[in-house]
Amino acid sequence: MSGRLAVVGIGPGDPALLNEQAKSALADADALYGYRAYLDRVPARQGQSRHASDNRQETARAAAALAHAARGANVAVVTGGDPGVFAMAAAVCEEIEAGPPALRALDVTVIPGITAMLALAARVGAPLGHDFCALSLSDNLKSWEVIERRLDAAASGGFVIALYNPASRARPLQLRRAFERLARHLPGSTLVIFGRAVSRPDERISITTLAEAGAEDADMSTVIIVGSAETRLIDRPGRAPLVYSPRKQTVPAGSGGSSRRGGA
Ligand SMILES: C[S@@+](CC[C@H](N)C(=O)[O-])C[C@H]1O[C@@H](n2cnc3c(N)ncnc32)[C@H](O)[C@@H]1O
């Protein structure tokens, strides 16, 4: 089968964070598929077709892109951040597994991008410098009960936690419930970092504590990093503070105590 499909991560927003492999795959493609806001970030090229769809139509988009590639075209599926993080690479794999055997003969590549939590972490220091995990708070494809169990496990296990999809118009209360759940395991002084539209012109970053974190501070374009007992803040005169999680374990196992230093 001569068609090709590349699932391309375009990073968090700043074009300077788009890698060379992603640039070439986007420039070479005959057809681009993706959520409209992501396609808008890719420079137009004559002769290249664009197939925009809503952000909740991942399955249909993956199926359409694969069918197009199976007809012999060079197709790119465009995703924000990294395609493997709560995004289209898994949707494409799901369709290949469920679809006709011919799809398995396609040349499929996944081109990584900088995911939101890494872009935010880099902005404030190194909060992911020790063990961490990432969780999506969306209950579109999993139950809220599972989300709560995973929040419990992550917080009691001492992980720094990156929260993707923290809020949407359809789910206004979930982030508040997630913070309440985390507070069962973590002290109020635990550092929490909000990153909205990280690396874009309207970027907004704030550092607070679990006790003070407000669910209304997040929307669909926000990623949140909740620190562990190890995560600390260094105040600096005239400069933004640094938040980091040291590489060495500094808190005894099982301790819920926070190592926060300085003011948030
Ligand atoms: C469906 S997930 C896709 C994640 C994406 N594949 C990635 O690797 O960043 C969408 C969520 O990613 C997060 N996100 C993506 N880009 C972001 C950015 N530039 N700033 C803050 N959060 C972002 C938000 O939590 C958003 O609700």
Side-chain angles (χ1 to χ4, degrees):
M1 192 174 276
S2 62
R4 279 189 287 154
L5 184 132
V7 196
V8 183
I10 59 170
D14 182 347
L17 296 177
L18 187 68
N19 69 45
E20 293 300 323
Q21 273 191 14
K23 274 186 208 163
S24 318
L26 294 172
D28 291 350
D30 304 317
L32 301 182
Y33 281 76
Y35 173 43
R36 191 175 306 279
Y38 298 148
L39 289 185
D40 286 347
R41 285 201 231 150
V42 181
R45 178 173 74 64
Q46 232 185 355
Q48 187 178 59
S49 64
R50 288 175 174 240
H51 308 261
S53 45
D54 188 73
N55 64 348
R56 293 185 66 171
Q57 293 176 346
E58 290 97 349
T59 302
R61 181 186 309 137
L66 283 162
H68 198 154
R71 294 196 294 276
N74 179 5
V75 173
V77 176
V78 181
T79 81
D82 182 272
V85 180
F86 307 122
M88 285 304 295
V92 165
C93 291
E94 286 160 16
E95 285 309 294
I96 292 174
E97 189 176 19
L103 292 184
R104 298 180 186 219
L106 273 176
D107 177 357
V108 175
T109 51
V110 178
I111 298 175
I114 295 175
T115 187
M117 70 177 175
L118 298 185
L120 175 59
R123 273 282 191 255
V124 298
L128 306 179
H130 200 72
D131 297 341
F132 67 90
C133 65
L135 246 100
S136 166
L137 287 191
S138 168
D139 61 356
N140 286 338
L141 300 170
K142 63 187 173 199
S143 69
W144 182 252
E145 189 197 346
V146 162
I147 294 170
E148 286 190 331
R149 265 214 313 273
R150 290 180 185 168
L151 287 168
D152 288 342
S156 60
F159 290 95
V160 173
I161 308 167
L163 297 175
Y164 282 74
N165 298 308
S168 76
R169 273 186 291 278
R171 302 181 284 109
L173 299 177
Q174 290 183 345
L175 181 58
R176 180 174 309 285
R177 286 168 69 187
F179 283 148
E180 284 166 7
R181 197 80 192 185
L182 292 172
R184 294 184 185 189
H185 309 274
L186 301 169
S189 57
T190 302
L191 290 164
V192 177
I193 307 150
F194 286 77
R196 188 184 177 282
V198 179
S199 90
R200 298 182 205 150
D202 52 340
E203 172 183 282
R204 207 170 59 224
I205 292 176
S206 60
I207 302 169
T208 182
T209 61
L210 188 54
E212 285 158 14
E216 60 287 349
D217 294 336
D219 63 10
M220 274 166 65
S221 301
T222 306
V223 68
I224 298 166
I225 296 177
V226 180
S228 70
E230 312 269 359
T231 309
R232 56 190 63 211
L233 180 145
I234 308 171
D235 269 323
R236 303 186 300 165
R239 293 189 182 279
L242 287 170
V243 179
Y244 85 111
S245 302
R247 294 166 300 149
K248 190 173 189 296
Q249 182 187 337
T250 56
V251 185
S255 163
S258 169
S259 298
R260 178 169 176 261
R261 302 239 170 108

